Amino acid sequence: MEPRPQVRHPATDNQNGSDHGETNVILQPALRQPSTCPESPSRPVVSDKVALVIGNQQYDCDKLQGLFYSEKDAFDVAQVLYSLGFKVVALVNLTLSEMRIAVLSFCRLLGKGVYGVLYYAGHGYEDGGENFLLPVDANLKYERQDSLRAQEILETMQACDTALNLLIIDSCRIRLPKKKGSVQYCKRGPKGNNIFAYSCCSQQEAYEEPGQSNGLYALHLLRHIRRNERIELILMDVARDVSHASQRNLIQRPCHESDSVADCRLTDPIVPTALTEEFEERMKLWNQAHFLPDAIPAIRQDGLIISFECRPVFSNVMEITITALNTNPVPLHQVVMELEVPHPVMAKVRRLSGEGIPENGGLLQQVVELSRLQKLLDPLVVTFKIFYLMDNETRDWQAPVRLGCPLVSSVFVQWDWWITCGRLPGVKCTQV
């Protein structure tokens, strides 16, 4: 009698078909391991938090003018980030070269364990799957060489070994089908710490509505950005609210991309003891970019005491409050005060408390805004001028006021010199 064929059991066969076990093995169900929820992403240790905010609104090209809220959006976002502990560099109305200098200066503040955030409000477009930010000196040709590539900014930030790179692009993303050129995809670093937030989807426009406090995307971003939650969750809620607020004929759908593996929150506390020397160096650089003259000497002439007080509006815009104290026993009438500034700085009167100054200690205040400080090449010297009527006699006089290199003017001069000479300081981030 021939031997009965042996039943092959899956549990006793190996890859070669040989039998290494007993033929009467009884399969036992595997012990079921208790189910566990996946652990929440780790919380990073934040050595510092730095933000660059840019709002471009005053475009040179007539057909690019007409934005309502880019400057206001930049101001409000900067204020919120500052309240969350960020060192904020907020700039408005930059040319292409100035935007590059701003990014390079911003990256000097980045480093290991730092949260880096960039917010941009202004005109933009999409070409070949990439997003471009339009400087104020751009034209309607929308050439790549005349714009700043957002993905290039991210690559530069990644070179600084940051803990988080968050880019919020509040601009249009209309594609330009007639443009030709090779697509340069953004190289993502291995750390998994990048988040791209867009105010609209590809081939869409970002809208502003007159009579509102902000642009549509910034309006809802400001309502959620202070929350102590993971950034991606906040961006999802912002996208939902913007989509619901969009009109039927003006659809705007925000979106975001993230490869972040950590639970990063804008409210995360700074642990400066993690990198003490680097933290102190960043503080020194940030303070350099936000220098304001502390005590400007008062001007005393013809019974008047003229004092000046400076405060920042943006990192390249400041307000000067001029206070005129009248110590004469007679009042002054038809008072006109002016600040004459050198080109290319611009001066604009913001507030005036009256047209006359009462006698014996009467006051008159005027607030003047000085903008485009990033264009300064030398220490700023302005000329104060005053005209008034005293005892039916017209009088006028003037005096120089030395303001030094306020806010980012010293930083821009330094970086502009490095770039012009073809040299850059010894930092890793020099791609932009």
Side-chain angles (χ1 to χ4, degrees), residues 8-250:
R8 297 182 61 191
H9 200 289
T12 61
D13 289 342
N14 64 7
Q15 292 180 351
N16 297 324
S18 60
D19 187 358
H20 294 288
E22 299 293 335
T23 59
N24 59 350
V25 173
I26 300 176
L27 288 179
Q28 297 289 342
L31 294 177
R32 186 175 181 180
Q33 299 296 328
S35 61
T36 58
C37 297
E39 295 183 0
S40 59
S42 60
R43 301 295 301 279
V45 177
V46 185
S47 63
D48 209 346
K49 299 194 292 188
V50 183
L52 172 62
V53 177
I54 299 176
N56 283 346
Q57 182 171 329
Q58 306 298 328
Y59 283 84
D60 297 338
C61 179
D62 293 340
K63 293 186 178 180
L64 291 175
Q65 296 178 4
L67 293 178
F68 297 112
Y69 302 118
S70 294
E71 293 182 15
K72 180 66 162 49
D73 293 346
F75 179 84
D76 291 344
V77 170
Q79 292 297 310
V80 172
L81 292 174
Y82 183 79
S83 70
L84 294 176
F86 280 81
K87 295 178 178 65
V88 182
V89 179
L91 303 163
V92 291
N93 302 319
L94 303 182
T95 64
L96 178 60
S97 62
E98 291 166 354
M99 290 178 72
R100 294 185 182 279
I101 294 173
V103 172
L104 288 169
S105 302
F106 165 61
C107 287
R108 288 196 68 189
L109 298 172
L110 302 180
K112 185 177 181 180
V114 177
Y115 277 11
V117 176
L118 182 140
Y119 172 84
Y120 170 80
H123 283 304
Y125 65 95
E126 184 177 284
D127 183 21
E130 296 183 304
N131 294 95
F132 292 85
L133 317 180
L134 277 185
V136 295
D137 57 345
N139 53 41
L140 288 177
K141 293 182 180 180
Y142 282 36
E143 298 289 349
R144 283 181 170 225
Q145 64 269 21
D146 299 328
S147 312
L148 187 60
R149 187 167 65 96
Q151 285 77 4
E152 190 174 353
I153 299 175
L154 176 59
E155 293 170 3
T156 306
M157 294 171 65
Q158 287 182 135
C160 301
D161 198 22
T162 48
L164 168 69
N165 300 311
L166 170 61
L167 278 74
I168 305 175
I169 309 301
D170 191 356
S171 68
C172 297
R173 297 178 65 192
I174 295 295
R175 288 182 179 176
L176 304 177
K178 295 182 180 180
K179 295 295 180 183
K180 296 181 180 180
S182 60
V183 178
Q184 301 178 8
Y185 293 102
C186 179
K187 299 176 182 178
R188 298 295 178 94
K191 296 186 66 173
N193 60 342
N194 306 300
I195 303 175
F196 247 118
Y198 303 96
S199 62
C200 60
C201 291
S202 178
Q203 304 187 61
Q204 282 191 343
E205 294 179 313
Y207 295 105
E208 296 180 325
E209 184 178 351
Q212 300 295 322
S213 58
N214 298 93
L216 182 58
Y217 183 78
L219 181 67
H220 295 281
L221 177 67
L222 291 166
R223 292 176 178 174
H224 293 281
I225 196 172
R226 293 182 177 88
R227 286 164 35 193
N228 182 24
E229 293 185 19
R230 184 165 177 160
I231 295 172
E232 291 91 336
L233 298 178
I234 292 176
L235 295 175
M236 289 174 63
D237 288 344
V238 173
R240 177 202 62 206
D241 291 352
V242 171
S243 299
H244 290 169
S246 298
Q247 302 176 12
R248 290 185 177 181
N249 58 334
L250 299 176

Side-chain angles (χ1 to χ4, degrees), residues 229-365:
E229 293 185 19
R230 184 165 177 160
I231 295 172
E232 291 91 336
L233 298 178
I234 292 176
L235 295 175
M236 289 174 63
D237 288 344
V238 173
R240 177 202 62 206
D241 291 352
V242 171
S243 299
H244 290 169
S246 298
Q247 302 176 12
R248 290 185 177 181
N249 58 334
L250 299 176
I251 299 175
Q252 182 173 338
R253 298 284 186 266
C255 62
H256 72 274
E257 304 170 2
S258 174
D259 64 9
S260 178
V261 296
D263 181 4
C264 296
R265 308 182 183 195
L266 296 177
T267 55
D268 285 339
I270 298 174
V271 186
T273 54
L275 294 167
T276 305
E277 293 183 3
E278 290 85 347
F279 181 82
E280 293 178 353
E281 181 65 22
R282 279 189 292 272
M283 283 296 298
K284 186 186 300 182
L285 291 171
W286 187 85
N287 288 331
Q288 179 187 355
H290 292 82
F291 164 79
L292 281 175
D294 294 329
I296 303 173
I299 302 173
R300 300 172 183 269
Q301 187 168 331
D302 199 19
L304 290 172
I305 302 176
I306 311 297
S307 58
F308 306 88
E309 183 178 355
C310 301
R311 79 170 190 90
V313 180
F314 294 97
S315 300
N316 62 336
V317 179
M318 71 176 181
E319 285 185 349
I320 299 181
T321 301
I322 307 171
T323 303
L325 172 65
N326 181 19
T327 63
N328 293 293
V330 295
L332 307 183
H333 303 284
Q334 300 179 17
V335 180
V336 177
M337 296 189 293
E338 295 179 357
L339 274 187
E340 186 178 271
V341 298
H343 181 78
V345 177
M346 295 182 62
K348 183 177 181 180
V349 176
R350 284 298 185 188
R351 291 186 298 276
L352 181 63
S353 62
E355 296 182 353
I357 311 178
E359 67 277 13
N360 298 323
L363 296 175
L364 177 66
Q365 282 193 333

